[in-house]
Amino acid sequence: MSIKESENTIFRNLIKLLTGEGIGRIIGLLVTPIITRIYGPGNMGVLTVFISIVAIIGPFACLSYPSSIPIDRNNNVAFNIICGSFLILTVTTLITCAVFYIGGNTLFEFLSIESIINYWWLIPIGLLFKGTYDILTQYNVRNKTFANLAKATVSQKIIGSLTKIALGMLQFKPVGLLIGDVLTTSGGITVLGRSLVKECRNSYKQITILGIKNALIRYKSFPVFRLPSQALLQLSGNLPILFFAWRFNDVTIGQIGLARTMLSMPVTFIGTSVGRAFLGEVAQIGMNNGNTIYKITIDVMRRLFLFSLIPFLLVVLFGPWIFQIVFGSEWYDSGLYARMMAIYLIFQFMYSPIEEGIFNVFEKQHLVLLVESCRITIILTVLSLSYYFELSSMHTVLIYSIGLALQYLIGLAIILNVIRNSRTK
């Protein structure tokens, strides 16, 4: 396949994904002003803490094995990886349930997030749904059934949004937000899993204990390197939320949480879709075609940079007033936080969609660990400075954003170096 054909394939698949992501994001944008008027900043703060906890333990759900599903071209190996991932997910869900049942109260009190104590049982449920969705997503990326991914995205937004609104109007606060978030994660699972169930019926004899063992050993670099890097990624991304919960209050967390959610919409809308299409294409091209992958990567990065300028300028120039008008007068501060977070938005736009494709295809999981180690070091430094100098929440978010921008630049440099090295071999 020529470079031009590969680029065309990526962008055809991208259109399918963007259609689903676009509809999903539109639904999210339309219902968020309703949700912010039903639930106040304090309730949103509880949701933000809940999401952060699930996100931090999320990488351990399947030990990062689902990321290897699109890579191996042997269907037998892929099916055994999928089965192995589901077995691991079952065990980790049970362990999580036991840990939070026995020691959840002590942990939440230590972190000063008592508001989440009554809803601990939703954490293992959220982990189970998240792991299942990750496995099925990677399976559909492997098969390039991007229309299914688009449908799943729409289902997620509809189910989650309606649940949050309905339970909120019935005064189930803040648990309505938490249940809605869990159902958002699980939405679309049936759409993504249909073809897998059908194929497993025809190929179940290929799935064996030995086959699962061999497949997991073959891709042991994913739990060895990818898992720690994903864990560090989630920890560095969500540690500030736990830090704010410890130092400030639910209202502050709610303001920051809404800002982060709104900023993540364009990144998720474009980044997730581009990332899946990019991964599907470069996985098919293979690591031995470094020149082709290099040209495709540069082109994708250029387009992402140009697109990121639009949300960046909007947030920097008009963020506080946009948040106040759209979400209500009590959300003005959320726009101020968003303005500061926009500092790293451009670099995140360029890095996030391509990092999984490059590091997975070239099997450079140790470099992912290096990047994320750098990230967590920067974040811990920022939070330590904030605590030592008793910085306000606004100043903490500002230096946090500058630190993230630096980390994404380092990540982009490493990615380009990986591809350049492959071209010289």
Side-chain angles (χ1 to χ4, degrees), residues 23-24 27-28 31 35 39 129 133 151-168 175-192 194:
I23 295 173
I27 294 171
V31 302
I35 293 173
Y39 302 93
F129 285 153
Y133 188 80
K151 293 175 185 176
T153 301
V154 176
S155 298
Q156 285 181 321
K157 289 300 177 182
I158 293 175
I159 294 171
S161 298
L162 291 178
T163 301
K164 291 175 183 177
I165 292 173
L167 293 179
V175 68
L177 284 171
L178 309 187
I179 294 175
D181 182 73
V182 170
L183 293 179
T184 296
T185 305
S186 63
I189 282 179
T190 54
V191 175
L192 298 179
R194 253 182 235 136

Side-chain angles (χ1 to χ4, degrees), residues 138-152:
Q138 295 296 347
Y139 166 75
N140 280 268
V141 168
R142 173 185 176 81
N143 290 346
K144 294 189 178 182
T145 49
F146 296 108
N148 288 344
L149 292 170
K151 293 175 185 176

Side-chain angles (χ1 to χ4, degrees), residues 26-238:
I26 290 172
I27 294 171
L29 286 172
L30 291 176
V31 302
T32 299
I34 301 173
I35 293 173
T36 55
R37 285 170 170 82
I38 295 175
Y39 302 93
N43 291 328
M44 294 293 287
V46 176
L47 173 65
T48 303
V49 172
F50 174 81
I51 292 174
S52 295
I53 292 173
V54 175
I56 288 172
I57 63 176
F60 298 95
C62 303
L63 304 184
S64 295
Y65 272 111
S67 296
S68 66
I69 294 171
I71 306 302
D72 202 298
R73 299 187 182 186
N74 187 309
N75 286 332
N76 293 351
V77 175
F79 278 124
N80 280 285
I81 294 172
I82 291 171
C83 289
S85 297
F86 274 118
L87 289 173
I88 294 169
L89 176 60
T90 302
V91 174
T92 53
T93 300
L94 292 174
I95 293 174
T96 302
C97 189
V99 168
F100 281 100
Y101 178 76
I102 296 171
N105 287 9
T106 303
L107 175 64
F108 297 141
E109 289 171 0
F110 173 75
L111 295 174
S112 300
I113 49 176
E114 292 88 349
S115 55
I116 206 78
I117 287 177
N118 293 330
Y119 315 112
W120 72 266
W121 51 275
L122 282 168
I123 295 175
I125 294 175
L127 182 68
L128 176 63
F129 285 153
K130 183 182 185 304
T132 301
Y133 188 80
D134 288 345
I135 294 170
L136 296 178
T137 295
Q138 295 296 347
Y139 166 75
N140 280 268
V141 168
R142 173 185 176 81
N143 290 346
K144 294 189 178 182
T145 49
F146 296 108
N148 288 344
L149 292 170
K151 293 175 185 176
T153 301
V154 176
S155 298
Q156 285 181 321
K157 289 300 177 182
I158 293 175
I159 294 171
S161 298
L162 291 178
T163 301
K164 291 175 183 177
I165 292 173
L167 293 179
M169 293 180 71
L170 293 172
Q171 299 303 309
F172 289 100
K173 302 177 183 180
V175 68
L177 284 171
L178 309 187
I179 294 175
D181 182 73
V182 170
L183 293 179
T184 296
T185 305
S186 63
I189 282 179
T190 54
V191 175
L192 298 179
R194 253 182 235 136
S195 58
L196 175 61
V197 171
K198 184 178 179 181
E199 285 197 54
C200 283
R201 285 174 181 170
N202 298 329
S203 309
Y204 70 93
K205 291 182 180 180
Q206 301 168 357
I207 302 170
T208 64
I209 298 298
L210 181 61
I212 293 173
K213 178 183 176 182
N214 290 337
L216 296 183
I217 292 174
R218 164 68 179 85
Y219 288 100
K220 64 182 179 181
S221 63
F222 284 81
V224 172
F225 295 110
R226 188 75 184 181
L227 174 59
S229 64
Q230 287 183 331
L232 287 174
L233 172 64
Q234 294 301 330
L235 182 62
S236 61
N238 293 281

Side-chain angles (χ1 to χ4, degrees), residues 15 33 62 79 137 150 156 161 164 183 201 227 245 264 269 330 343 355 357 374 381 396 401 404 424-425:
I15 292 298
C62 303
F79 278 124
T137 295
Q156 285 181 321
S161 298
K164 291 175 183 177
L183 293 179
R201 285 174 181 170
L227 174 59
S264 71
F269 172 45
E330 60 186 341
I343 293 172
E355 64 93 14
C374 175
T381 302
T396 303
S401 300
L404 276 189
T424 60
K425 293 180 179 179

